[in-house]
Amino acid sequence: DHAGDVVKVGDEIKVVVIKPASAEQKPIVSKRQADFQLVWERLVEGYKEGRIVSAVVLERVKGGLVADVGVRGFVPASHVGTGGKPKNLERLVGSTLRFKIIDIDEERRKVILSNRLAIEEEREEKRKELFSTLKAGDRVKGVVRRIVDYGVFIDVGGADGLLHVSELDWYRVQDPHEVLKVGQKIEVMVLKVDQANQRISLGRRQVLPDPWKEVGEKYQVGQELTLPISRTVQSGAFVKLPEGLEAFIPISELANHRVKKADDAVTVGQEYTMKVVDLRQEERRMLLSIRQCLPVEERRQRQPRH
C-alpha cells in the first residue's frame, strides 16, 4: 500500500531498468524484477549444484503440490514422501518440507521440485556418516521400522540394523510381535558393523538388566520347584522361570525309566515338581531334574534291571 512498507530513504537496493531516461522523464526501474532475478539466479545455481532447500507448501493443485522457493515450484505427487504415491496431500499445506530442484525451465520460469529425492539423498548422507562412526559396543536409540519372523529392523539414525530374534531378550522369544511394535522407540547395542555389505547387527538384551544375576541369588542346588513345561526338544524339556529365563531338564532326568522322546514323559503346559541339580550363573545355565523328585518307592520300582 505504501513504498515505506518496503524501503526507507537511504537504503541501497538493486533494481532493473524497465525504461531508460528520456528528455521528457526519468528512468523507470523495478525492485520487484530485481528481487525475482536474484531469486532465480540462486535457484539456477542450486539446481546446477544439486542443492537441497527448505520451502513452505502453499497449496494442493492437480497432480501435486506448489511450494514457495522464492517462486512457485511444482512438486509432482509421485515426488512427495518415500512410500509411493501419497494420499491426502492437503494435510501438507502450510508445512515446511525439504526439496531437491530436479528441473528448471528458464524461458517459462518454471521450477520442478522433489521431496522424495531430497529425503533419499539426505538419508544416504546420514547412512554414510553413520557407517563411518558406528562401532561394536555402542549403545544407540532407534525406531522399529519393520518386524519379521526372524527379527526386527531398527532405524538407528540413517540406516536400518537387524535385531535378530535371539537378541531380543534374555528369554527365548517365539514371536517378535509380542515384544515390540512398529514405530516404537528403543535402545539397542551395536553388536557388529559390516562395512563391506552395509549391514548392522543389533542386540536388545545387552542393554536390559541381566536376570541371571537375580537367578544366582534366588535359586540354589537342591532347591525344589513346581513349574510348567514350556517346550520340548529331542534332548529334553525346557521350563520357563518366573524371571523369564529358561532352565533345562535333560531327557535322562524326566523319568526313572528310559525315555526315547520328551513328549512321552512330560506334557507342555503341565506343572511338575523338579529339583535344581546344577546352577552356573556365569554360564547362564540351570539344570533341573523331575526324576530326583519322584517318591523313593517309585524310584526303586522303576530302577532298570542290569
Side-chain angles (χ1 to χ4, degrees), residues 26-41:
K26 294 180 180 179
I28 297 176
V29 298
S30 170
K31 176 182 181 299
R32 183 176 62 83
Q33 288 191 25
D35 289 345
F36 180 86
Q37 186 175 330
L38 181 60
V39 169
W40 189 258
E41 288 173 355

Side-chain angles (χ1 to χ4, degrees), residues 79-95:
H79 281 267
V80 180
T82 57
K85 190 174 182 178
K87 298 179 180 179
N88 191 20
L89 292 178
E90 287 81 3
R91 64 185 173 81
L92 297 174
V93 175
S95 60

Side-chain angles (χ1 to χ4, degrees), residues 10 46 50 64 77-78 83 87 94 100 110 132 154 169 176 227 230 243 268 303 305-306:
S78 61
K87 298 179 180 179
K100 187 177 180 68
K110 288 190 176 181
S132 66
I154 310 291
D169 214 317
L227 296 168
S230 59
E243 293 76 17
V268 174
Q303 287 292 329
R305 295 180 179 180
H306 296 285

